[in-house]
Amino acid sequence: MTNQVDYFKDQRKREYVNYASSNAELKNPINEQTVKTARAWRKSRLIQSLKQHDCDAILLFDPVNIRYALDSSNMNVWALHNQFHYALVFADGYAVDFAFPNSEHLSSRLETVNEVRQSISWFFFAAGGTGPERASKWGDEIVDLLREHGASRSRVAVDKIDPMGLDALRARGINPIEGQRVVELARCIKNDAELQIMDWTIKVAESGMRRMYEASVPGKTEQEIWAELHFENIRWGGEWIETRLCTAGPRTNPWWSECSDYVCQEGDMLAFDTDMIGPYGYCADLSRSWTIGHVPMDGQQQELYSVALEQIEHNVSILKPGLSFSEFNDLSWKLPDKYVANRYSAAIHGIGLADEYPNIPPHPDFDPGYDGIFEENMVVCAEALIGEEGGRECVKLETQVVIGPTGATRLDTFPFVEVRGPLVL
């Protein structure tokens, strides 16, 4: 059999593929029963939320919400900007999945789905000038289904829909209830099966982060380093990465630049945020920062890193069931004035199949009207972005935790950098 490296005549590809790392021990511990248990739990949570909001049904277009409700998934990134896949879930549990033509088999085998129909698309790429006629046909089908199942037109929730679809519903006497709240309040509480799957996703992300660490040497571009996370995610059944937040040196400050062909220099601070939609659709949202070449941090880098770590460790330490968002804000770590201008958008946010409710900003931005409570079995991320406005660099750190009966427990195990030396893996 041909040796693996013989496929790559360009020596740079042999170096990039990094076979020693790619062959590292990693085994998927998730079995089919765990996946089925997670599916059943998620659907039951949605049904419960429908009843709590006095809704007879919910029409779902957001592919993440459809995945949550039914575990039905098809070309999800494309579906994020083309509404070809939708589902109608009734409060009695009956669920209809509307699939892309000839893809009905993808959801017909799911125990969460009672009926599969071919979807009707009216977005311009698919429909051209026939969009209004298709939307009208679609509206008639939805109304017929509601009638068949005894659902009131006044008690239908919708998560996301474009104007043509909304007009079709309203023309048929349906004034939708805002449905994103219905789904996100269901999504925010996890069961053991979800936590097991999330633990696996985090392990995959951390394996990718190790590859990134190994690749963080002078001469590599930000994109070459970032590709290591994508490689590991995809080879273990992951799906996509929501952002491109991986920058080095002067490109870390201000934050939010996307990774580029900037060639990393020895001593640059590399900072990244995984935002990784991994195996089974679950998200691992972790951030780390370290130096290119793994050289000791200089004094300024040490200060930034220490402050960032202090922020997330403090905020994790105060999390517990029953703590209100306002109480969290009062007790949360207070940003020193010199870091306020460059502050991150979130101090704590929920996480599941993607970023989700709640989203608590740092104390300068907290709105008392956005209130609620932290509950047991919520999974949240604690974030920190530390850097002075106009400064040389920023440090980005983030950890993922589950809220237990008395406090929060970290789910990720990837170590934080010892500020006076290289990371020990």
Side-chain angles (χ1 to χ4, degrees), residues 68 75 161 179 182 191 193 200 254 386:
Y68 181 84
M75 300 184 290
I161 193 169
V182 175
N191 74 341
W200 166 235
I386 300 297

Side-chain angles (χ1 to χ4, degrees), residues 166-288:
L166 182 59
D167 288 345
L169 293 179
R170 287 178 171 165
R172 288 156 180 78
I174 301 172
N175 192 26
I177 297 166
E178 199 286 303
Q180 195 64 27
R181 172 188 176 91
V182 175
V183 186
E184 293 226 20
L185 288 176
R187 284 168 52 178
C188 69
I189 305 296
K190 312 300 187 290
N191 74 341
D192 287 343
E194 284 195 279
L195 292 174
Q196 289 177 47
I197 298 172
M198 190 173 288
D199 181 68
W200 166 235
T201 293
I202 289 171
K203 283 183 169 59
V204 170
E206 292 181 328
S207 182
M209 290 159 66
R210 283 179 172 84
R211 292 176 64 94
M212 291 178 66
Y213 186 77
E214 293 171 3
S216 295
V217 295
K220 290 279 190 178
T221 68
E222 294 167 347
Q223 290 170 163
E224 286 179 299
I225 296 170
W226 189 231
E228 301 287 351
L229 180 65
H230 285 263
F231 177 91
E232 199 71 5
N233 186 38
I234 297 303
R235 83 181 183 109
W236 289 107
E239 301 190 2
W240 73 85
I241 294 177
E242 301 241 87
T243 63
R244 288 169 46 84
L245 296 173
C246 177
T247 53
R251 301 192 70 256
T252 62
N253 189 348
W255 189 243
W256 298 116
S257 294
E258 296 194 322
C259 70
S260 71
D261 58 1
Y262 170 77
V263 178
C264 300
Q265 306 298 308
E266 183 170 277
D268 277 349
M269 182 66 73
L270 181 84
F272 65 89
D273 191 338
T274 61
D275 291 318
M276 189 189 92
I277 309 300
Y280 307 100
Y282 279 84
C283 185
D285 195 4
L286 309 171
S287 294
R288 294 293 187 272

Side-chain angles (χ1 to χ4, degrees), residues 40-298:
W41 165 258
R42 296 193 317 238
K43 186 175 180 182
S44 71
R45 285 282 303 172
L46 179 59
I47 298 307
Q48 180 185 9
S49 188
L50 283 172
K51 293 175 179 177
Q52 289 173 343
H53 288 85
D54 192 24
C55 293
D56 290 345
I58 187 166
L59 183 60
L60 303 171
F61 278 95
D62 186 324
V64 178
N65 288 339
I66 298 171
R67 183 68 173 272
Y68 181 84
L70 305 178
D71 212 16
S72 176
S73 174
N74 184 17
M75 300 184 290
N76 276 357
V77 174
W78 201 65
L80 288 167
H81 57 97
N82 294 292
Q83 292 192 329
F84 71 88
H85 183 199
Y86 49 95
L88 184 61
V89 182
F90 292 90
D92 64 3
Y94 194 90
V96 184
D97 189 58
F98 295 84
F100 192 76
N102 297 323
S103 70
E104 293 87 348
H105 59 286
L106 297 178
S107 53
S108 62
R109 294 169 288 199
L110 293 170
E111 66 278 7
T112 51
V113 176
N114 301 95
E115 182 181 351
V116 183
R117 298 189 181 193
Q118 185 171 303
S119 64
I120 300 172
S121 299
W122 61 86
F123 58 95
F124 187 77
F125 171 77
T130 69
E133 291 80 6
R134 291 196 188 190
S136 179
K137 181 180 178 182
W138 169 82
D140 289 340
E141 184 176 21
I142 296 300
V143 167
D144 288 344
L145 266 170
L146 295 174
R147 185 184 304 111
E148 289 173 18
H149 290 269
S152 169
R153 298 187 194 192
S154 65
R155 306 308 309 165
V156 178
V158 178
D159 62 350
K160 297 173 183 176
I161 193 169
D162 69 11
M164 199 178 296
L166 182 59
D167 288 345
L169 293 179
R170 287 178 171 165
R172 288 156 180 78
I174 301 172
N175 192 26
I177 297 166
E178 199 286 303
Q180 195 64 27
R181 172 188 176 91
V182 175
V183 186
E184 293 226 20
L185 288 176
R187 284 168 52 178
C188 69
I189 305 296
K190 312 300 187 290
N191 74 341
D192 287 343
E194 284 195 279
L195 292 174
Q196 289 177 47
I197 298 172
M198 190 173 288
D199 181 68
W200 166 235
T201 293
I202 289 171
K203 283 183 169 59
V204 170
E206 292 181 328
S207 182
M209 290 159 66
R210 283 179 172 84
R211 292 176 64 94
M212 291 178 66
Y213 186 77
E214 293 171 3
S216 295
V217 295
K220 290 279 190 178
T221 68
E222 294 167 347
Q223 290 170 163
E224 286 179 299
I225 296 170
W226 189 231
E228 301 287 351
L229 180 65
H230 285 263
F231 177 91
E232 199 71 5
N233 186 38
I234 297 303
R235 83 181 183 109
W236 289 107
E239 301 190 2
W240 73 85
I241 294 177
E242 301 241 87
T243 63
R244 288 169 46 84
L245 296 173
C246 177
T247 53
R251 301 192 70 256
T252 62
N253 189 348
W255 189 243
W256 298 116
S257 294
E258 296 194 322
C259 70
S260 71
D261 58 1
Y262 170 77
V263 178
C264 300
Q265 306 298 308
E266 183 170 277
D268 277 349
M269 182 66 73
L270 181 84
F272 65 89
D273 191 338
T274 61
D275 291 318
M276 189 189 92
I277 309 300
Y280 307 100
Y282 279 84
C283 185
D285 195 4
L286 309 171
S287 294
R288 294 293 187 272
S289 298
W290 53 64
T291 57
I292 296 296
H294 315 309
V295 299
M297 296 182 190
D298 63 28

Side-chain angles (χ1 to χ4, degrees), residues 368-383:
Y370 188 102
D371 209 10
I373 62 170
F374 292 101
E375 300 179 60
E376 188 173 348
N377 286 338
M378 276 186 174
V379 178
V380 300
C381 293
E383 305 235 28

Side-chain angles (χ1 to χ4, degrees), residues 301-353:
Q301 291 170 331
Q302 289 182 31
E303 178 183 349
L304 296 176
Y305 198 101
S306 297
V307 171
L309 191 57
E310 180 182 343
Q311 179 179 0
I312 64 170
E313 287 181 339
H314 174 88
N315 286 346
V316 167
S317 73
I318 63 177
L319 291 170
K320 62 180 180 180
L323 181 75
S324 74
F325 301 161
S326 292
E327 289 171 331
F328 172 83
N329 181 65
D330 292 340
L331 296 170
S332 66
W333 188 83
K334 300 302 185 286
L335 282 159
D337 289 344
K338 64 181 179 178
Y339 301 127
V340 168
N342 265 6
R343 66 189 179 276
Y344 196 64
S345 58
I348 294 285
H349 68 80
I351 193 76
L353 295 179

